[in-house]
Amino acid sequence: MTADIRPTSSPAPRRPRALAWFALLVLPLVVLAAVIVPVFLIQPFASQTQGELRLSYFLRAAAPLMTILVLAGAVVATLYLWRSARWWQRAAIGLGVVIAGVAAWFAQQNHFEWMFAPLEVVAFAKADETTFVEGTDKVLAVEINGDAAAYPLRQLAYHHLVQDAVGGVPIAVTY
């Protein structure tokens, strides 16, 4: 019995394609998580551990460069995979690029300013007419030139900054 020996063509290498798919589907989700995690860990009125703060500040510092690199990798992977991809693979490719793009855009934003927005319009009420300040609430009080104002800490803790004028003097109240 003789063996049938025929030259076989070797299949195309799968490693570069697998790496390209990894760059398109896994890495964008990883960097999106790296951008979103600090938003959930650093919240007003919620306690954070030192480890959570350390992680949040590390991710916040690393995310801009990390997301740009992943977006560039996603574009390169798209160019590599696009011609041989089926329609549903092209949809997945597009989704990966969109996720990487959103993460890269969000990493360039200061979303903490969105969370701690200063009051744009300051409104006042007389102390004996307020319903939103309890008698036991702490306030920051200012008296200038015979004029006085009090700012509830509960509201300052969220907005962090109020620009006002007391006794004709412009002030910035912060907590």
Side-chain angles (χ1 to χ4, degrees):
M1 183 172 244
T2 61
D4 187 15
I5 302 174
R6 295 183 194 168
T8 59
S9 61
S10 61
R14 298 187 60 74
R15 182 165 290 206
R17 290 186 60 76
L19 252 136
W21 280 109
F22 181 79
L24 271 169
L25 300 178
V26 176
L27 291 180
L29 293 174
V30 169
V31 294
L32 185 63
V35 170
I36 290 175
V37 163
V39 174
F40 288 102
L41 291 181
I42 299 179
Q43 295 262 337
F45 309 115
S47 63
Q48 297 97 23
T49 66
Q50 281 186 337
E52 290 171 340
L53 288 175
R54 199 174 299 117
L55 174 64
S56 295
Y57 287 129
F58 169 77
L59 291 174
R60 185 74 183 118
L65 177 62
M66 199 168 50
T67 56
I68 293 296
L69 292 175
V70 168
L71 179 58
V75 169
V76 169
T78 296
L79 295 173
Y80 177 73
L81 293 171
W82 191 262
R83 289 187 64 183
S84 63
R86 295 185 174 106
W87 72 267
W88 57 270
Q89 291 172 321
R90 287 183 177 182
I93 288 169
L95 182 62
V97 171
V98 166
I99 290 172
V102 166
W105 174 82
F106 197 72
Q108 305 300 320
Q109 307 302 310
N110 187 354
H111 53 276
F112 296 111
E113 281 187 9
W114 303 344
M115 292 168 42
F116 302 110
L119 286 172
E120 292 182 18
V121 178
V122 180
F124 295 97
K126 293 185 178 193
D128 57 352
E129 296 174 2
T130 63
T131 58
F132 59 90
V133 179
E134 300 293 324
T136 58
D137 285 353
K138 294 180 180 180
V139 298
L140 283 178
V142 178
E143 181 183 354
I144 302 174
N145 297 332
D147 193 12
Y151 306 90
L153 290 185
R154 203 166 9 113
Q155 291 176 334
L156 282 174
Y158 182 78
H159 295 287
H160 293 281
L161 179 68
V162 175
Q163 296 175 352
D164 195 9
V166 178
V169 177
I171 64 170
V173 181
T174 185
Y175 175 74

